[in-house]
């Protein structure tokens, strides 16, 4: 039929990879449920940590969850191959890292080239790279006497925190801010920025390229 659009064909299946608390996952779930992220569905959540609260958040939202322990595999590549099989099982179009504390191997990167996004709690390229995660980032920002920090959504490539920047949001740093206070401020921004960036990515890049 002319002009007919099959919206279910446009719907992208998202897989979220987590290791921790899951507040960004929660923001993403809410954004899908309230229509801030359109044409998408969170199809599965995978954690490498059994105790990750993110798994509880996903279960409460009735999203299929998988805890996959690294020590069941002989290598990082074998681990990622197992993950890739799971992603294929759920017809995954887009992978979102949300506090996932593992490095993605080249085999995984190649399978989802330009379709893996991450959120990092600083204004990249500053305060990114190997070892820069969690409170270490915020402490380094404070040590540098910067007057602002923020968060960055970027494509994931072999260079840690070095992929193309899709979106950023900044926060001001007050003279007496502790690393914990700064982390909380940045996290609040992350919860707004990640859903926005994901929606933008799907609607402007994925749907236009028909990926
Ligand atoms: C966030 O600060 C994010 O930027 C970083 O890991 C943290 C995850 O927090 N990549 P949460 O698990 O989403 O609460």
């Amino acid at each position: 039929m002319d002009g007919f659009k099959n919206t279910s064909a446009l719907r992208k299946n998202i897989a979220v990879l987590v290791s921790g608390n899951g507040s960004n996952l929660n923001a993403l779930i809410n954004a899908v449920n309230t229509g801030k992220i359109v044409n998408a569905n969170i199809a599965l959540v995978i954690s490498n940590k059994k105790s990750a609260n993110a798994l509880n958040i996903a279960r409460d939202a009735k999203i299929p969850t998988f805890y996959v322990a690294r020590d069941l595999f002989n290598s990082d590549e074998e681990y990622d191959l197992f993950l890739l099989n799971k992603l294929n099982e759920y017809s995954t179009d887009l992978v979102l890292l949300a506090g996932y504390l593992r490095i993605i191997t080249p085999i995984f990167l190649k399978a989802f080239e330009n379709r893996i996004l991450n959120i990092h709690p600083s204004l990249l390229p500053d305060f990114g790279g190997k070892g820069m995660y969690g409170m270490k980032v915020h402490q380094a920002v404070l040590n540098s006497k910067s007057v602002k920090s923020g968060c960055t959504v970027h494509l994931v490539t072999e260079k840690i925190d070095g992929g193309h920047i899709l979106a950023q949001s900044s926060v001001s740093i007050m003279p007496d801010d502790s690393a914990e206070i700064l982390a909380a401020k940045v996290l609040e921004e992350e919860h707004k920025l990640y859903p926005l960036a994901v929606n933008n990515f799907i609607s402007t890049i994925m749907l236009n390229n028909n990926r």
Side-chain angles (χ1 to χ4, degrees):
M1 201 195 304
D2 272 347
F4 176 77
K5 274 199 170 181
N6 180 351
T7 48
S8 67
L10 293 177
R11 187 172 274 249
K12 300 297 178 190
N13 284 328
I14 297 175
V16 186
L17 270 50
V18 296
S19 303
N21 200 30
S23 67
N24 278 288
L25 169 66
N26 196 44
L28 292 164
I29 293 171
N30 287 340
V32 169
N33 290 343
T34 57
K36 287 186 183 136
I37 296 177
V38 291
N39 296 322
N41 162 54
I42 301 183
L44 75 161
V45 170
I46 300 178
S47 173
N48 66 318
K49 290 261 187 289
K50 193 175 187 180
S51 60
N53 182 53
L55 286 172
N56 298 328
I57 291 173
R59 284 188 201 111
D60 286 350
K62 310 267 181 286
I63 296 168
T65 57
F66 299 93
Y67 154 58
V68 190
R70 165 65 180 84
D71 55 16
L72 294 177
F73 301 86
N74 289 322
S75 66
D76 290 341
E77 286 71 23
E78 281 181 31
Y79 182 88
D80 275 1
L81 277 174
F82 182 87
L83 259 48
L84 283 175
N85 275 329
K86 270 280 162 258
L87 300 185
N88 287 335
E89 220 177 275
Y90 284 79
S91 306
T92 302
D93 300 297
L94 176 64
V95 178
L96 303 179
L97 310 186
Y100 183 61
L101 292 176
R102 285 187 48 79
I103 303 296
I104 307 283
T105 59
I107 202 160
F108 190 150
L109 289 172
K110 200 163 168 32
F112 278 87
E113 196 174 8
N114 293 328
R115 290 186 296 149
I116 309 173
L117 271 52
N118 181 42
I119 186 153
H120 181 81
S122 77
L123 294 172
L124 292 174
D126 295 337
F127 308 104
K130 199 168 189 306
M132 273 293 179
Y133 60 88
M135 224 37 93
K136 289 183 195 171
V137 178
H138 304 296
Q139 196 53 60
V141 172
L142 291 181
N143 293 346
S144 75
K145 307 279 177 231
S146 308
V147 292
K148 65 174 189 169
S149 187
C151 48
T152 303
V153 177
H154 63 95
L155 285 174
V156 175
T157 62
E158 273 187 58
K159 190 169 176 217
I160 299 173
D161 299 325
H164 177 74
I165 290 174
L166 297 166
Q168 288 188 308
S169 181
S170 54
V171 302
S172 302
I173 300 177
M174 296 302 144
D176 53 358
D177 277 355
S178 63
E180 287 74 19
I181 288 176
L182 178 57
K185 277 195 219 176
V186 171
L187 198 57
E188 205 180 317
E189 280 310 302
E190 291 184 36
H191 299 160
K192 293 182 239 164
L193 187 72
Y194 211 2
L196 266 178
V198 168
N199 187 52
N200 242 354
F201 186 78
I202 291 173
S203 58
T204 63
I205 298 179
M206 294 190 86
L207 292 176
N208 281 340
N209 291 348
N210 205 18
R211 298 187 70 156

